[in-house]
Amino acid sequence: MKHALRRMIAAAWLGLSLALAPAAAASATAASTDWRAEEPRALVITYRVAPAARIGFRQALRASLLPRLEKLRGTGDLLAYQVLANRYVDSGSWDVMAVLDFKGQEALARWRAVEDVAPAGLGPDALRQVTSAETAPGNILRAGGALRKAGDAAPVFLVIPYDYLVSTDDYLKYVDGYLLPQLDGWMEEGALSGFRLYLPRYAAGRTWSALLMLAYQGDAGLARRDLVTQKVRARLTATSAEWKAFADNKTNIRVEKQPIVADQILP
């Protein structure tokens, strides 16, 4: 039942911004169960800066990007957003990622007015520090839990890009049959608060074809990741032949790319 409800979740997932969001159920409904019927309603924007600019860039984001996103959230165009900073200096990946979940296609289309005056949502000071930026329109295809629960420690994010080697339909069957049972187990064990799975609508040439955002319950939750993963996988192996079949074949379905540990940048 839990997985069937998740298959109903698309990019109109009804949440609030990470800073204010209460606990949300994984059973939020969406207009369609078919990803083909959904227009892009999310943007995933990644920014790179020189190591010397990391501190100044975050300050510039608080001065320009975050107020702009808060204003859009106030008007209702933006349902939720997360602005995440890579915890570590890593020239092979992004320094900051902004994930924007819009109310609908019309609200996303109005983002063009922002791009006209503030490319990638950035003010002049932040733009001067960026060495590159990439924007991927897409949708939330699966979601569960809350990215932050009242009273919990500040979440620590693990953002994992994937390339999948099968059709989108077959990949989502793998997600529902293999990944979601594990994520449920991690949340039941208290290590994980919630997750979002994004798929870009125009994936050709992208560095990823699926993006998994995991919100752990602080550093303590992230530290338990390996032990909890082992425990849940052992239980699923013993109790679900279907899950084990997916596990045995997962290398033929997707390639996991470099995960990033990240923290939220707050206003």
Side-chain angles (χ1 to χ4, degrees):
M1 178 66 176
K2 190 179 294 183
H3 296 165
L5 288 171
R6 289 223 180 102
R7 285 191 287 269
M8 298 175 66
I9 296 174
W13 187 86
L14 301 180
L16 295 174
S17 71
L18 178 61
L20 301 175
S27 58
T29 58
S32 173
T33 59
D34 190 345
W35 60 271
R36 298 172 190 81
E38 292 291 336
E39 294 292 336
R41 297 185 183 185
L43 291 179
V44 177
I45 309 173
T46 54
Y47 311 92
R48 291 189 182 187
V49 298
R54 281 168 62 88
I55 296 174
F57 184 61
R58 295 183 193 186
Q59 293 172 343
L61 292 179
R62 290 189 176 97
S64 61
L65 178 63
L66 295 187
R68 182 171 285 112
L69 298 181
E70 275 295 301
K71 182 178 179 180
L72 290 173
R73 194 174 68 85
T75 65
D77 270 4
L78 202 58
L79 293 176
Y81 70 86
Q82 291 80 44
V83 180
L84 306 178
N86 189 336
R87 181 174 287 191
Y88 306 110
V89 175
D90 191 343
S91 60
S93 188
W94 47 269
D95 291 285
V96 172
M97 171 181 284
V99 183
L100 314 182
D101 299 319
F102 289 87
K103 182 178 180 180
Q105 175 62 24
E106 292 182 0
L108 174 57
R110 285 192 287 273
W111 179 258
R112 289 178 295 183
V114 174
E115 292 280 350
D116 286 344
V117 297
L122 303 180
D125 188 27
L127 280 172
R128 282 191 290 268
Q129 300 178 65
V130 171
T131 58
S132 67
E134 297 179 0
T135 303
N139 295 94
I140 298 175
L141 265 293
R142 299 291 185 268
L147 297 187
R148 184 172 187 174
K149 298 178 181 177
D152 284 353
V156 176
F157 288 85
L158 190 66
V159 182
I160 309 174
Y162 294 90
D163 279 333
Y164 54 86
L165 311 176
V166 294
S167 71
T168 301
D169 288 330
D170 285 342
Y171 177 68
L172 291 176
K173 291 177 183 176
Y174 156 83
V175 168
D176 292 337
Y178 174 79
L179 181 59
L180 295 190
Q182 291 190 87
L183 298 177
D184 286 337
W186 300 351
M187 288 190 287
E188 289 167 3
E189 292 290 331
L192 190 69
S193 296
F195 67 90
R196 306 289 181 265
L197 177 69
Y198 291 84
L199 265 62
R201 179 49 60 94
Y202 316 113
R206 298 284 179 195
T207 57
W208 53 272
S209 53
L211 188 73
L212 180 62
M213 180 191 299
L214 302 173
Y216 282 89
Q217 294 196 20
D219 286 293
L222 182 61
R224 296 177 58 210
R225 171 179 167 81
D226 289 345
L227 288 176
V228 168
T229 298
Q230 183 180 23
K231 179 179 179 180
V232 171
R233 286 180 177 175
R235 182 168 68 237
L236 289 169
T237 298
T239 59
S240 174
E242 178 186 8
W243 185 88
K244 187 176 185 303
F246 277 115
D248 291 342
N249 194 45
K250 66 181 180 180
T251 57
N252 298 319
I253 296 174
R254 93 290 185 269
V255 176
E256 182 175 341
K257 306 181 83 171
Q258 181 183 0
I260 298 295
V261 177
D263 303 284
Q264 188 192 18
I265 301 176
L266 293 172

